[in-house]
Amino acid sequence: MTSTASSDNSRSEISGEGSSSGISWTPDSWRTKTALQQPNWPDANEYDSVLKQLRGFPPLVFAGESRRLTAELGRVSEGRAFLLQAGDCAESFESFSADSIRERLKVILQMAVVLTYSAGVPVVKLGRIAGQFAKPRSADTETIDGVELPSFRGHLINDVAFTAKARIPVPARMIEAYHQSASTLNLLRAFTTGGFADLSRVHQWNQEFVSASPQGQRYEQLAEEIERALRFMDACGLDHETVPALHQTEVWTSHEALVLGYEEALTRKDSLTGDYYDCSAHMVWIGERTRDLEGAHVEFFRGIRNPIGCKVGPTASTEQVLDLCEALNPERIPGRLTLITRMGAENVTDSLRPLLRSVADAGHPVVWACDPMHGNTFTAPSGQKTRHFDSILAEISGFFEAHRAEGTWPGGVHVELTGDDVTECLGGAEDLLDGDLGLRYETMCDPRLNGRQSLDLAFGVAELLRKG
Ligand code: PEP
Ligand code: CO
């Protein structure tokens, strides 16, 4: 059994023994620092009252679960497993349905089974799901046809419609995000433990629009081989029905913990250990724009005991990365810190190698994950933001090359995808062209891989893993 986090999120300080930092910290100590990318809530009273409500709500995850995920990520940091972190760029209040959750889960399960079967490594499955509602923006405002409005910051904060009213931050959205996260997580738990993730159903994860494609066919073949292996086990007298690991799996949740008021309100003291956990998700990460060592996000993250991530882009120096490792994981707990690199396909190998070497030399047991999406975004002639499948795979390939050269473990990938048949990223085996982007371009934020492209990517990553 896992421990439960008590609903007490009293403001007692942690310091010294039992704290993750050894330095005094409270769930609200981030408030003394500069917090970038926070909404300008127009009504302070309403904001406070929403946070008060959130503080009274049950935690979404248990501290014990987060500890188990840290242990799994610890295996990734040691080169004994691979991390697949995947899901939406921004979850939506509008496209919230059982179908949409199931389709995203199918793609993640398919990708994981391709990686496990083809490359023979256990895969830790971590969704960008059940809480991925807040977006950092490169500009505070957006101008269309001479009209300037505040930027869309994710459904946790405001709405995507280009009207002045829609762009006003509404604190009550945090309550809705909490409830949608709870329902999403509930369904994920039901799907993954209630039979849907059973390996004998591996064929059924192949969606119709995927199965007709070459990569869908390739997947069918692999699924057939898995079924044959299960029949073989049975024929040998090893009743596969009795092996729980073949019938259920775990898909953990994660999001960028951007809006610190929300995250603080869901941070609870674990009754077993006395440590604080951000119970809004199993894992949370710091974005590229908010990883300032002196900033509020690093302050908040250093005190929560969840496994955490930090994005690392091309401007990060080795000193900055080492300082972040020290600040966020001074005890050097394997699996505590995942560095999610997003360098861009062009200079990934050169940018990464010095970082890999310095972190290894300093003895920091990090998980290295490759986000091949955010360094490879560009605007297509049609005006839509897009990414090319070839650059995405090229960044992952360069990431593997850098790790091979430095003798470190290319621990995982971090991708934006959807289960829907969208046309947002170019290329892939179906060779989506610029002119196709308009067909089903549905994202509220960044372009996502569709089901076929995601599967294609999984086969590509499996090949890179096998080569090593
Ligand atoms: C994201 O992961 O959606 C994101 C905004 O990434 P980054 O912080 O790396 O830009
Ligand atoms: Co994104």
PDB file of all heavy atoms in Angstrom, residues 89 128 135 374 387 416 446, ligand 2:
ATOM      1  N   CYS A  89       0.336  19.243 -25.631  1.00  0.00           N
ATOM      2  CA  CYS A  89       1.058  20.468 -25.301  1.00  0.00           C
ATOM      3  C   CYS A  89       0.249  21.182 -24.232  1.00  0.00           C
ATOM      4  O   CYS A  89       0.771  21.569 -23.190  1.00  0.00           O
ATOM      5  CB  CYS A  89       1.218  21.352 -26.526  1.00  0.00           C
ATOM      6  SG  CYS A  89       2.009  22.904 -26.112  1.00  0.00           S
ATOM      7  N   ARG A 128       1.888  13.558 -20.237  1.00  0.00           N
ATOM      8  CA  ARG A 128       1.681  15.008 -20.064  1.00  0.00           C
ATOM      9  C   ARG A 128       0.171  15.119 -20.036  1.00  0.00           C
ATOM     10  O   ARG A 128      -0.475  15.424 -21.029  1.00  0.00           O
ATOM     11  CB  ARG A 128       2.209  15.779 -21.283  1.00  0.00           C
ATOM     12  CG  ARG A 128       3.698  15.998 -21.384  1.00  0.00           C
ATOM     13  CD  ARG A 128       4.041  16.713 -22.704  1.00  0.00           C
ATOM     14  NE  ARG A 128       3.506  18.049 -22.784  1.00  0.00           N
ATOM     15  CZ  ARG A 128       4.237  19.166 -22.828  1.00  0.00           C
ATOM     16  NH1 ARG A 128       5.557  19.111 -22.833  1.00  0.00           N
ATOM     17  NH2 ARG A 128       3.658  20.351 -22.913  1.00  0.00           N
ATOM     18  N   LYS A 135       0.379  27.387 -19.735  1.00  0.00           N
ATOM     19  CA  LYS A 135       1.419  27.554 -20.742  1.00  0.00           C
ATOM     20  C   LYS A 135       2.256  28.803 -20.514  1.00  0.00           C
ATOM     21  O   LYS A 135       1.707  29.901 -20.361  1.00  0.00           O
ATOM     22  CB  LYS A 135       0.786  27.660 -22.141  1.00  0.00           C
ATOM     23  CG  LYS A 135      -0.009  26.463 -22.587  1.00  0.00           C
ATOM     24  CD  LYS A 135       0.736  25.142 -22.451  1.00  0.00           C
ATOM     25  CE  LYS A 135       2.022  25.059 -23.243  1.00  0.00           C
ATOM     26  NZ  LYS A 135       2.774  23.824 -22.879  1.00  0.00           N
ATOM     27  N   HIS A 374      10.410  21.212 -28.793  1.00  0.00           N
ATOM     28  CA  HIS A 374      10.407  22.659 -28.571  1.00  0.00           C
ATOM     29  C   HIS A 374      11.586  23.415 -29.170  1.00  0.00           C
ATOM     30  O   HIS A 374      11.551  24.640 -29.231  1.00  0.00           O
ATOM     31  CB  HIS A 374      10.225  22.946 -27.077  1.00  0.00           C
ATOM     32  CG  HIS A 374       8.850  22.567 -26.613  1.00  0.00           C
ATOM     33  ND1 HIS A 374       8.554  21.307 -26.142  1.00  0.00           N
ATOM     34  CD2 HIS A 374       7.684  23.252 -26.621  1.00  0.00           C
ATOM     35  CE1 HIS A 374       7.267  21.246 -25.844  1.00  0.00           C
ATOM     36  NE2 HIS A 374       6.712  22.405 -26.136  1.00  0.00           N
ATOM     37  N   ARG A 387       6.227  21.607 -36.904  1.00  0.00           N
ATOM     38  CA  ARG A 387       7.520  20.943 -36.695  1.00  0.00           C
ATOM     39  C   ARG A 387       7.604  19.848 -37.742  1.00  0.00           C
ATOM     40  O   ARG A 387       6.568  19.274 -38.094  1.00  0.00           O
ATOM     41  CB  ARG A 387       7.567  20.285 -35.303  1.00  0.00           C
ATOM     42  CG  ARG A 387       7.507  21.276 -34.179  1.00  0.00           C
ATOM     43  CD  ARG A 387       6.975  20.664 -32.908  1.00  0.00           C
ATOM     44  NE  ARG A 387       7.121  21.598 -31.797  1.00  0.00           N
ATOM     45  CZ  ARG A 387       6.466  21.496 -30.659  1.00  0.00           C
ATOM     46  NH1 ARG A 387       5.616  20.509 -30.452  1.00  0.00           N
ATOM     47  NH2 ARG A 387       6.652  22.371 -29.695  1.00  0.00           N
ATOM     48  N   GLU A 416       5.213  15.761 -27.611  1.00  0.00           N
ATOM     49  CA  GLU A 416       3.841  16.269 -27.640  1.00  0.00           C
ATOM     50  C   GLU A 416       3.072  15.521 -28.720  1.00  0.00           C
ATOM     51  O   GLU A 416       3.448  15.540 -29.895  1.00  0.00           O
ATOM     52  CB  GLU A 416       3.838  17.780 -27.907  1.00  0.00           C
ATOM     53  CG  GLU A 416       4.384  18.534 -26.705  1.00  0.00           C
ATOM     54  CD  GLU A 416       4.380  20.038 -26.841  1.00  0.00           C
ATOM     55  OE1 GLU A 416       4.361  20.558 -27.973  1.00  0.00           O
ATOM     56  OE2 GLU A 416       4.437  20.715 -25.793  1.00  0.00           O
ATOM     57  N   ASP A 446       1.075  24.240 -29.178  1.00  0.00           N
ATOM     58  CA  ASP A 446       2.104  23.741 -30.090  1.00  0.00           C
ATOM     59  C   ASP A 446       1.587  22.585 -30.949  1.00  0.00           C
ATOM     60  O   ASP A 446       0.675  21.855 -30.542  1.00  0.00           O
ATOM     61  CB  ASP A 446       3.310  23.238 -29.278  1.00  0.00           C
ATOM     62  CG  ASP A 446       4.083  24.368 -28.636  1.00  0.00           C
ATOM     63  OD1 ASP A 446       3.965  25.511 -29.115  1.00  0.00           O
ATOM     64  OD2 ASP A 446       4.802  24.106 -27.663  1.00  0.00           O
TER      65      ASP A 446
HETATM   66 CO    CO B   2       4.569  22.718 -26.058  1.00  0.00          CO
END
